[in-house]
Amino acid sequence: MIRLQNVHKSYRKNGLVTPVLDVPELEIPVAQRVALVGRSGSGKTTLLNLLSGLVKADSGLVQVDDEDLTTMSEAACDRFRARSVGYMFQSFHLLDGFTAVENVELGASFAGRSGPRKEAEQLLVALELGERLHHFPGELSIGQQARVALARALIGSPKLVLADEPTGALDGETANTILDLLLKKSLEQGVTLVVATHDLEVAAAFDRIVRVEDLQ
Ligand SMILES: Nc1ncnc2c1ncn2[C@@H]1O[C@H](COP(=O)(O)OP(=O)(O)OP(=O)(O)O)[C@@H](O)[C@H]1O
Ligand SMILES: [Mg+2]
């Protein structure tokens, strides 16, 4: 269960404070599949970052699985994220010096699980990248990099999967492959899924649509 209460987030630069997100109240039950929509700059990525513990709220409660991420130490937050969260970033953040399958494997080894090579390969094959296991990110198309990033988020079956525009860089057919895998994993494993998307057709496949502008 995810619970946000009176969350406020601003960014400060050169003495200038820019408020970016206010969430008076948001609850997401376990295993719910949620699409976050909203115009560019509305705070979708910021909200995903708050849920992952990567970014701290200025005030309010961000509770994931009974853990309050706002008061947790940095180290505890890192452990929580490694153990419980799979995050596909909007700009992927793949490691250049590692192949596709190694990047996916790393997703699991950060979480302290060993021997995930087989699962990494299976995920990449399911995402139609069986022929690209040993390519480096620089040798992959943007859409292929997106799929590697998604496999890295899914490996090891985290309880919470966050995905930021997972279908943004893809053609319709590949987007459907990604979406099907995300929804299937969450259904089979009771994963809570929070996905930012600007594609309303994609959003319609989820249990619930949350418009970020409407939260405040
Ligand atoms: N590190 C930062 N420092 C300062 N401002 C930031 C920072 N990160 C985000 N912002 C600002 O916060 C606001 C929300 O950004 P965010 O990335 O969450 O939007 P978004 O809804 O994900 O947009 P998009 O659809 O373009 O990805 C934007 O106005 C952005 O300029
Ligand atoms: Mg974004």
Side-chain angles (χ1 to χ4, degrees):
M1 156 82 114
I2 292 172
R3 200 152 69 98
L4 274 70
Q5 247 170 4
N6 299 322
V7 168
H8 176 76
K9 177 69 197 167
S10 301
Y11 286 105
R12 285 171 185 75
K13 197 173 177 127
N14 305 331
L16 192 72
V17 179
T18 315
V20 293
L21 191 67
D22 275 297
V23 183
E25 182 86 56
L26 175 66
E27 287 195 359
I28 300 176
V30 169
Q32 190 170 63
R33 288 100 59 93
V34 178
L36 290 180
V37 301
R39 65 177 196 284
S40 176
S42 60
K44 302 181 292 297
T45 299
T46 304
L47 183 50
L48 292 177
N49 286 340
L50 287 169
L51 294 178
S52 73
L54 276 174
V55 163
K56 291 253 189 263
D58 301 327
S59 56
L61 178 81
V62 177
Q63 205 176 7
V64 180
D65 273 349
D66 295 327
E67 310 225 46
D68 180 5
L69 304 189
T70 45
T71 53
M72 224 184 244
S73 72
E74 197 92 354
C77 214
D78 289 345
R79 280 196 300 276
F80 156 80
R81 194 166 42 254
R83 198 175 56 237
S84 308
V85 184
Y87 193 171
M88 176 190 173
F89 298 99
Q90 191 162 15
S91 45
F92 315 141
H93 298 322
L94 296 177
L95 299 173
D96 288 334
F98 293 86
T99 64
V101 74
E102 286 167 350
N103 263 282
V104 178
E105 251 182 318
L106 279 170
S109 58
F110 284 142
R113 289 176 281 261
S114 58
R117 172 59 67 112
K118 198 153 184 258
E119 190 188 353
E121 287 177 356
Q122 282 167 349
L123 281 164
L124 289 171
V125 168
L127 290 164
E128 297 169 0
L129 286 176
E131 310 287 300
R132 294 287 182 278
L133 299 179
H134 307 295
H135 284 56
F136 291 95
E139 301 168 338
L140 297 171
S141 75
I142 298 294
Q144 289 168 340
Q145 291 176 35
R147 284 177 276 158
V148 175
L150 178 68
R152 187 180 57 182
L154 291 175
I155 195 165
S157 306
K159 283 186 281 185
L160 172 62
V161 171
L162 309 171
D164 203 347
E165 297 287 358
T167 61
L170 304 171
D171 64 277
E173 204 177 314
T174 316
N176 282 338
T177 307
I178 282 208
L179 200 57
D180 288 350
L181 185 73
L182 265 173
L183 295 171
K184 183 171 143 237
K185 286 268 169 198
S186 109
L187 205 61
E188 282 174 0
Q189 299 170 357
V191 174
T192 309
L193 187 59
V194 186
V195 170
T197 182
H198 63 266
D199 185 332
L200 294 182
E201 236 176 88
V202 168
F206 286 73
D207 298 328
R208 177 179 172 196
I209 298 178
V210 171
R211 180 169 293 280
V212 176
E213 290 98 332
D214 292 348
L215 286 172
Q216 25 223 351

